[in-house]
């Protein structure tokens, strides 16, 4: 089990620690609901040291990445980033990630903790002459500072180190990496630095007023915005088209990308399923991963929830599920089975909030 | 952690107040509510249900997880705290008074001796 460089600080702050993706991470400090609201209304700080940081470099890095990933790398200028996906040959998702262009020959990739090893071995198997892959994951710690007051907090801490533009990246001379991205739907930034220096950043960010937030709030915040979690909502058997991520898939790239032929074929034959947002319509328990969704008239089970929780903002159960395309229309009514009882739910538009 | 002297506790963190054995209130301890944090949903049994010590009598859900509540005693459910179904906040705010979940008519008052007293319960928490 890996331990974050911020582990001792979490214990001092009273965090409850749980295993996640091979790491011991804080799930909450004071409570998920309070931490959730802190990010929506003020500013919160998350330990994201578990996430992976990769660098791909070489004269032909742009060309290489355009064949590896779904989004169009060629639109990025220095200091810009984009959400993108890495697929297998069948069009299934290996990982979803943010790709940043540091300069024309150096790209920075932030990938899911649970997928670092798989990503590295996949990319290594695809490497071409002149392209180098460096895995910085063990050397970097990370903190996501999120919420409407995140930018003001940073300005008060480091007025001389401006944040990059939305989705962008900047590197300080001292080696601190700042990314204007996140997983909460709020403005904010992610800071990566060496494991020796990340603790000091964390102390300063908390002292400046950020509420320490755990993985529990991270999950409710991302789910309210309809952001998928790899391993739950994305997997090797569903394509990004089924996941509703077509915006980040550029099928018109001249040389295609790994998985593009499968996606084009799927688009022509029609999507077998769609990842939909479901919301309970009355008083009911929170939704959970694995709950079955049934057609209320026939009782037939149509799918299972891949994500589920209670929306702290809305006060109702929300979740996501792959459903046959015919049942994926906004407003379609369902039953969700919870401990043998049926609760009414419907397909709603993403985001929930 | 608040552990009142007049209550009896199960190792699974429920309490019972046997003062009135015909309608003994049952709830969860201050420790348990703190561990759960933010109770958002409670499912209670029907009045009249007969339960044995250790049976699941309720499901309590936080944002993160669903947990069973086990009866610390055997008997019949004679009353449930319906108000908590609409608004479960007292389970966190006042677990030993307003946060009681069910009242049980004890079928075997000797079971109380098998539960932990305040001192013994505090010991397992430390």
């Amino acid at each position: 089990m890996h331990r974050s460089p911020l582990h001792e600080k979490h214990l001092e702050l009273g965090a409850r620690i749980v295993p996640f993706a091979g790491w011991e991470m804080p799930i909450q400090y004071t409570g998920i609901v309070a931490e959730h609201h802190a990010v929506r209304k003020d500013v919160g700080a998350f330990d994201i040291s578990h996430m992976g940081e990769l660098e791909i470099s070489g004269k032909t890095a742009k060309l290489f990445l355009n064949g590896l990933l779904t989004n169009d790398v060629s639109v990025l200028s220095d200091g810009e980033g984009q959400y993108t996906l890495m697929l297998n040959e069948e069009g299934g998702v290996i990982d979803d990630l943010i790709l940043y262009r540091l300069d024309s020959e150096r790209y920075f990739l932030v990938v899911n903790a649970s997928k670092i090893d798989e990503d590295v071995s996949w990319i290594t198997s695809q490497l071409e002459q002149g392209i180098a892959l460096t895995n910085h994951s063990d050397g970097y710690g990370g903190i996501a500072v999120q919420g409407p007051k995140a930018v003001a907090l940073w300005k008060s801490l480091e007025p001389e180190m401006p944040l990059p533009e939305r989705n962008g990246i900047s590197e300080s001379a001292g080696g601190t990496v700042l990314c204007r991205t996140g997983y909460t739907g709020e403005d904010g930034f992610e800071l990566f630095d060496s494991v020796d220096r990340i603790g000091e950043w964390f102390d300063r960010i908390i002292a400046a007023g950020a509420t320490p937030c755990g993985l529990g709030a991270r999950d409710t915040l991302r789910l309210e915005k309809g952001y998928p979690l790899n391993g739950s909502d994305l997997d090797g058997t569903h394509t990004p088209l089924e996941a509703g991520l077509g915006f980040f898939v550029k099928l018109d790239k001249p040389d295609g990308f790994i998985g593009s032929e499968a996606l084009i074929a799927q688009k022509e034959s029609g999507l077998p399923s769609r990842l939909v947002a479901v919301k309970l319509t009355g008083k009911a328990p929170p939704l959970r991963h694995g709950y079955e969704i049934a057609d209320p008239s026939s009782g037939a089970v149509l799918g299972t929830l891949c994500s589920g929780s209670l929306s702290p903002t809305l006060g109702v159960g929300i979740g996501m599920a792959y459903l046959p395309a015919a049942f994926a229309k906004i407003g379609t009514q369902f039953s969700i089975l919870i401990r043998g009882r049926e609760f009414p739910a419907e397909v709603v538009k993403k985001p929930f909030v | 952690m608040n552990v009142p002297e007049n209550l009896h506790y199960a190792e699974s963190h429920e309490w019972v107040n046997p003062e009135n054995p015909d309608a003994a209130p049952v709830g969860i301890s201050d420790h348990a509510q703190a561990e759960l944090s933010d109770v958002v949903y409670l499912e209670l049994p029907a009045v009249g249900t007969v339960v044995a010590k250790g049976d699941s009598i309720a499901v309590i859900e936080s944002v993160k997880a669903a947990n069973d509540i086990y009866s610390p005693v055997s008997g019949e459910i004679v009353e449930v705290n319906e108000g908590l179904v609409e608004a479960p906040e007292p389970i966190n705010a006042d677990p030993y008074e307003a946060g009681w979940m069910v009242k049980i008519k004890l079928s075997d008052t000797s079971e109380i001796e098998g539960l932990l007293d305040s001192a013994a319960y505090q010991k397992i928490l430390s």
Side-chain angles (χ1 to χ4, degrees), chain A residues 74-316:
Chain A
S74 69
V75 303
L76 294 180
S77 303
D78 290 357
E80 291 181 347
Q82 64 186 190
Y83 178 74
T84 187
L85 297 111
M86 187 160 72
L87 308 183
N88 58 33
E89 296 284 357
E90 292 74 43
V93 176
I94 296 172
D95 205 1
D96 64 330
L97 57 123
I98 313 270
L99 172 77
Y100 306 91
R101 174 165 143 156
L102 295 168
D103 60 48
S104 63
E105 295 182 13
R106 277 197 318 144
Y107 290 83
F108 190 72
L109 294 75
V110 177
V111 306
N112 283 296
S114 59
K115 295 287 172 174
I116 297 170
D117 294 344
E118 198 178 332
D119 291 349
V120 166
S121 66
W122 177 256
I123 296 169
T124 304
S125 74
Q126 304 294 332
L127 278 184
E128 297 163 0
Q129 186 111 38
I131 302 290
L133 166 67
T134 315
N135 182 359
H136 293 295
S137 303
D138 291 341
Y140 272 126
I143 304 162
V145 184
Q146 303 278 298
K149 295 188 181 157
V151 172
L153 179 146
W154 181 254
K155 281 183 180 154
S156 75
L157 273 187
E158 287 291 338
E160 302 303 315
M161 207 191 289
L163 286 171
E165 296 295 309
R166 193 177 159 76
N167 292 332
I169 188 169
S170 63
E171 263 179 309
S172 77
T176 307
V177 177
L178 292 170
C179 302
R180 189 73 173 270
T181 40
Y183 193 43
T184 63
E186 300 299 329
D187 195 2
F189 60 95
E190 295 166 302
L191 181 154
F192 300 96
D193 209 330
S194 75
V195 292
D196 304 329
R197 283 195 298 261
I198 200 72
E200 194 188 330
W201 282 120
F202 189 74
D203 289 343
R204 292 180 64 204
I205 287 165
I206 298 300
T211 300
C213 297
L215 292 175
R218 192 166 162 81
D219 193 53
T220 53
L221 288 158
R222 69 94 191 167
L223 186 56
E224 282 189 344
K225 294 294 173 185
Y227 297 158
L229 171 64
N230 197 6
S232 294
D233 310 309
L234 303 177
D235 59 46
T237 67
H238 291 98
T239 71
L241 302 180
E242 292 173 273
L245 300 172
F247 180 77
F248 308 99
V249 176
K250 306 300 183 197
L251 290 173
D252 55 356
K253 286 196 280 187
D255 301 316
F257 53 88
I258 298 170
S260 62
E261 284 176 19
L263 297 192
I264 289 166
Q266 188 182 61
K267 211 170 178 180
E268 280 169 5
S269 63
L271 301 180
S273 70
R274 282 178 183 278
L275 182 64
V276 300
V278 296
K279 188 165 112 177
L280 289 162
T281 49
K283 177 81 185 166
L287 293 179
R288 310 281 180 206
H289 175 94
Y291 284 176
E292 289 183 327
I293 298 175
D295 182 340
S297 49
S298 70
V301 173
L302 301 169
T304 58
L305 290 178
C306 40
S307 277
S309 191
L310 177 104
S311 160
T313 304
L314 303 173
V316 296

Side-chain angles (χ1 to χ4, degrees), chain A residues 16 27-28 31-33 216 219-220 283-286 288 309-310 339 341 343, chain B residues 34-38 40-41 43 59 61-66 85-88:
Chain A
R16 184 163 331 141
I27 185 139
Q28 64 171 56
I32 293 171
V33 175
D219 193 53
T220 53
K283 177 81 185 166
R288 310 281 180 206
S309 191
L310 177 104
R339 297 185 284 275
R341 282 169 63 197
F343 290 88
Chain B
E35 282 291 304
L36 285 167
S37 83
D38 304 330
V40 294
Y41 191 82
E43 220 167 82
V59 177
E61 300 212 37
S62 65
V63 175
K64 203 63 205 164
V85 173
E86 277 310 307

